C-alpha cells in the first residue's frame, strides 16, 4: 500500500476550509471490494474509530441518498457532524462516490456538536487489475467553529492519510465479515433492496455557512496555541 499526499490549491487567507487530496495504491484489494466498504454503513462501525453515529435518512434516486454522520475530534476540539447528499456512479470497473452538505428540517444542528460543512467530498476508485486498485480521496470541508487556519490545515494533513490506511485495512477484512453479515444485501449495487423512504428534493437545500450559528471555541484556540508553542 502506498499513500501519497497530493498538492492542493491554497485556500484564501481568512478561509477556515480544509482541502485534502490523497491517493492510495492498493496491491491487494480489488476495486469492487473497496467500493463496498465505502458504502456499507453497518461495516463502518467496525473500522471507523472516530464515528459517533451514522445512518441513512432517505433516498432521492437509485444512486443518491441523504445521510447523517457525526465524529470525534481530537481533544480539546468539539465533536462535529454533517448531513450530506451522496451520489455514486459505477463506471465499468471504476467507481465514484461524492457528497455535499444539505439542510433537512428533521435533522437541525445539535447543541452538543458543531455542524460542519462538506463543500465537496468524494472518492474515485480505479481498478488496476483483478486484485489491485487506486483510491483518490478529495475533501473540501469547512469545520466551522472559530478555529485558526493552522489548526485546520494541520489536522487535515494528519487525518486524511490515516483515514486511507484505515480504509485499506478494513477492505482486507471485508469479504470474510460480509459472508457472516447479510452477504447478499448491497443496496448500492441492487436498488431493489433499498427500503429507505423517498425524500422529495423540495425538502432539502444546500447547507451554507452563513446560516449556521457561530460556535465560540476561543478557549480551545488558547489551549492549542499554548500546546503548539511548548
Amino acid at each position: 500500500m502506498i499513500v501519497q499526499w497530493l498538492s492542493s490549491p491554497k485556500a484564501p487567507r481568512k478561509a477556515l476550509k480544509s482541502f485534502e487530496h490523497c491517493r492510495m495504491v492498493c496491491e491487494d484489494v480489488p476495486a469492487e471490494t473497496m467500493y463496498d466498504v465505502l458504502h456499507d454503513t453497518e461495516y463502518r462501525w467496525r473500522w471507523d474509530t472516530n464515528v459517533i453515529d451514522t445512518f441513512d435518512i432517505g433516498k432521492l434516486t437509485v444512486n443518491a441518498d441523504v445521510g447523517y454522520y457525526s465524529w470525534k475530534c481530537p481533544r480539546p476540539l468539539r465533536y462535529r457532524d454533517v448531513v450530506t447528499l451522496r451520489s455514486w456512479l459505477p463506471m465499468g470497473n471504476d467507481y465514484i462516490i461524492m457528497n455535499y452538505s444539505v439542510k433537512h428540517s428533521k435533522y437541525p444542528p445539535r447543541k452538543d456538536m458543531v455542524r460542519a460543512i462538506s463543500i465537496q467530498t468524494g472518492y474515485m476508485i480505479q481498478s488496476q487489475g483483478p486484485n489491485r486498485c487506486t483510491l483518490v480521496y478529495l475533501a473540501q470541508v469547512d469545520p466551522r467553529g472559530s478555529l485558526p487556519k493552522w489548526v485546520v490545515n494541520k489536522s487535515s494533513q494528519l487525518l486524511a492519510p490515516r483515514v486511507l490506511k484505515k480504509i485499506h485495512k478494513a477492505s482486507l477484512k471485508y469479504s470474510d465479515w460480509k459472508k457472516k453479515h447479510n452477504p447478499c444485501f448491497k443496496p448500492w449495487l441492487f436498488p431493489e433492496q433499498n427500503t429507505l423512504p423517498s425524500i422529495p428534493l423540495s425538502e432539502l437545500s444546500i447547507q451554507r455557512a452563513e446560516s449556521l450559528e457561530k460556535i465560540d471555541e476561543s478557549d480551545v484556540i488558547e489551549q492549542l496555541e499554548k500546546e503548539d508553542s511548548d
Side-chain angles (χ1 to χ4, degrees):
M1 176 191 64
I2 301 173
V3 177
Q4 297 176 322
W5 175 268
L6 304 178
S7 60
S8 58
K10 292 183 179 180
R13 184 163 188 165
K14 293 184 179 180
L16 293 181
K17 303 179 181 68
S18 68
F19 189 99
E20 305 167 18
H21 189 191
C22 280
R23 178 176 179 268
M24 176 173 66
V25 179
C26 298
E27 304 282 354
D28 46 9
V29 177
E32 59 268 23
T33 298
M34 186 161 289
Y35 182 64
D36 289 347
V37 169
L38 293 172
H39 267 290
D40 200 322
T41 303
E42 183 182 359
Y43 187 58
R44 187 166 195 128
W45 290 96
R46 303 280 297 185
W47 63 268
D48 188 347
T49 56
N50 294 319
V51 65
I52 299 173
D53 197 7
T54 181
F55 53 86
D56 298 324
I57 296 172
K59 60 184 177 183
L60 291 170
T61 66
V62 294
N63 66 329
D65 61 17
V66 176
Y68 174 86
Y69 177 73
S70 57
W71 69 96
K72 304 171 188 173
C73 295
R75 292 183 177 182
L77 302 181
R78 293 182 63 176
Y79 294 166
R80 260 66 178 172
D81 70 350
V82 289
V83 174
T84 59
L85 189 159
R86 176 183 62 169
S87 59
W88 56 93
L89 180 66
M91 302 180 297
N93 294 323
D94 301 333
Y95 308 88
I96 291 179
I97 304 173
M98 298 295 295
N99 77 59
Y100 60 88
S101 284
V102 293
K103 293 173 64 174
H104 192 296
S105 60
K106 294 182 180 179
Y107 299 91
R110 293 170 47 168
K111 295 294 184 181
D112 58 335
M113 292 189 183
V114 176
R115 177 60 52 89
I117 298 177
S118 169
I119 300 169
Q120 186 176 48
T121 302
Y123 303 91
M124 181 172 65
I125 310 165
Q126 297 174 302
S127 177
Q128 304 294 338
N131 200 43
R132 188 175 186 268
C133 72
T134 298
L135 174 65
V136 177
Y137 172 62
L138 169 71
Q140 189 174 12
V141 178
D142 184 346
R144 301 299 297 153
S146 51
L147 299 176
K149 185 180 175 182
W150 69 267
V151 172
V152 176
N153 291 339
K154 186 175 182 180
S155 297
S156 64
Q157 291 175 11
L158 291 174
L159 293 177
R162 290 179 185 175
V163 169
L164 293 193
K165 290 177 181 178
K166 285 183 179 181
I167 293 172
H168 173 253
K169 187 176 180 179
S171 297
L172 293 175
K173 300 178 180 180
Y174 181 71
S175 294
D176 288 339
W177 178 88
K178 190 60 176 174
K179 289 176 183 177
K180 302 174 184 177
H181 300 82
N182 298 320
C184 296
F185 183 70
K186 296 183 179 182
W188 53 93
L189 295 178
F190 309 110
E192 65 275 10
Q193 296 178 348
N194 194 331
T195 58
L196 290 173
S198 295
I199 299 178
L201 193 58
S202 59
E203 292 185 5
L204 305 173
S205 59
I206 296 177
Q207 179 68 75
R208 302 192 184 280
E210 55 269 22
S211 67
L212 292 171
E213 177 186 1
K214 186 173 182 179
I215 305 298
D216 182 13
E217 291 182 292
S218 55
D219 56 332
V220 173
I221 295 173
E222 292 175 2
Q223 184 174 342
L224 288 171
E225 290 178 338
K226 182 179 179 182
E227 291 175 357
D228 189 63
S229 62
D230 292 341

